[in-house]
Amino acid sequence: EIVLTQSPGTLSLSPGERATLSCRASQYFSSSYLAWYQQKPGQAPRLLIYAASIRATGIPDRFSGSGSGTDFTLTISRLEPEDFAVYFCQRYYDSVYAFGQGTKVEIK
Amino acid sequence: QLQLQESGPGLVKPSETLSLTCSASGGSIATTTHYWGWIRQPPGKGLEWIGAIASSGGTYYSPSVKTRVTISVDTSKNQFSLLLRSVTDADTAVYYCARHVYGLPRIDFWGQGTLVTVSS
């Protein structure tokens, strides 16, 4: 089973700063099968990025994804007030989905 | 615009079966480009994928719940359903139904979620 580990657990930043979130897999899998989601309190998750680097429909270009193999990154170039939320990475492997444990981006 | 709405009891007794239905509107679930599934989130915790079903009936389940779960689809009603047997308090969670995409796999559309509490 491929386990995803996200770091850091919490990221404390100010609006306008750059956020870099990491998602590390316990073994290699195709970058085509890596996605990122944003979740705000009381809301369902929202798809941000799929295939490691493709922005979903309507997602601002301050969000970008990169990586391959076992190391993947979500970058928010300049944090807007609405970006403070929890972010999950997700992998698809052998017909099964699984999520990382999440990174909370909070206002410093 | 697609809408997904979960429905079912908000309270289930331990050892009984949790039953939820997801009703789709604004789009058909009888599609070959998407399939339909369930994800849950215990209070204050992360996301756990439960499983999914194609409109043809093919199913995919998480190994962690595979022995207790059944997902079914009724394309005539534009609905799909979740049965989770022998529940314990560890199954207390917000349950989301969601649309999955083939090809470059992702979950691109989510219902609002429904809280199910397991308690006697």
Side-chain angles (χ1 to χ4, degrees):
Chain A
E1 179 188 353
I2 300 177
V3 176
L4 297 179
T5 301
Q6 292 186 240
S7 61
T10 302
L11 198 50
S12 298
L13 295 168
S14 300
E17 290 193 293
R18 181 183 187 90
T20 303
L21 287 66
S22 172
C23 177
R24 178 163 292 178
S26 58
Q27 57 184 282
Y28 169 89
F29 68 100
S30 170
S31 60
S32 296
Y33 297 162
L34 190 284
W36 290 92
Y37 301 82
Q38 175 194 67
Q39 187 179 34
K40 297 179 181 179
Q43 296 183 17
R46 177 175 71 144
L47 176 66
L48 296 176
I49 300 284
Y50 63 98
S53 62
I54 300 175
R55 274 189 300 278
T57 302
I59 301 303
D61 60 7
R62 63 180 181 273
F63 290 93
S64 63
S66 63
S68 64
T70 59
D71 290 297
F72 300 90
T73 301
L74 175 69
T75 302
I76 310 170
S77 59
R78 287 178 56 86
L79 283 164
E80 297 287 341
E82 62 267 28
D83 299 337
F84 291 92
V86 180
Y87 294 83
F88 295 95
C89 58
Q90 164 250 297
R91 61 90 173 146
Y92 172 87
Y93 185 80
D94 203 17
S95 301
V96 172
Y97 288 74
F99 295 90
Q101 81 279 19
T103 290
K104 181 179 182 180
V105 179
E106 65 175 22
I107 300 176
K108 187 174 182 180
Chain B
Q1 171 76 349
L2 179 70
Q3 291 191 17
L4 298 175
Q5 179 66 59
E6 304 90 351
S7 60
L11 182 64
V12 182
K13 289 182 169 54
S15 80
E16 295 190 343
T17 297
L18 179 159
S19 177
L20 294 174
T21 294
C22 183
S23 299
S25 58
S28 173
I29 66 170
T31 167
T32 58
T33 53
H34 298 92
Y35 55 118
W36 309 89
W38 295 91
I39 300 98
R40 67 181 180 180
Q41 186 171 36
K45 297 188 176 180
L47 300 167
E48 181 184 14
W49 185 79
I50 299 171
I53 188 166
S55 57
S56 61
T59 52
Y60 315 87
Y61 296 128
S62 169
S64 66
V65 294
K66 186 173 184 176
T67 59
R68 298 193 293 132
V69 69
T70 301
I71 297 175
S72 59
V73 65
D74 187 339
T75 54
S76 67
K77 294 182 178 179
N78 222 27
Q79 295 177 338
F80 57 102
S81 298
L82 170 71
L83 292 178
L84 182 64
R85 296 174 289 277
S86 304
V87 297
T88 69
D89 55 2
D91 295 308
T92 293
V94 174
Y95 285 76
Y96 296 99
C97 62
R99 187 175 77 175
H100 296 49
V101 185
Y102 285 113
L104 296 176
R106 58 202 186 269
I107 302 169
D108 72 339
F109 205 88
W110 301 64
Q112 65 183 21
T114 187
L115 174 63
V116 179
T117 301
V118 178
S119 175
S120 54

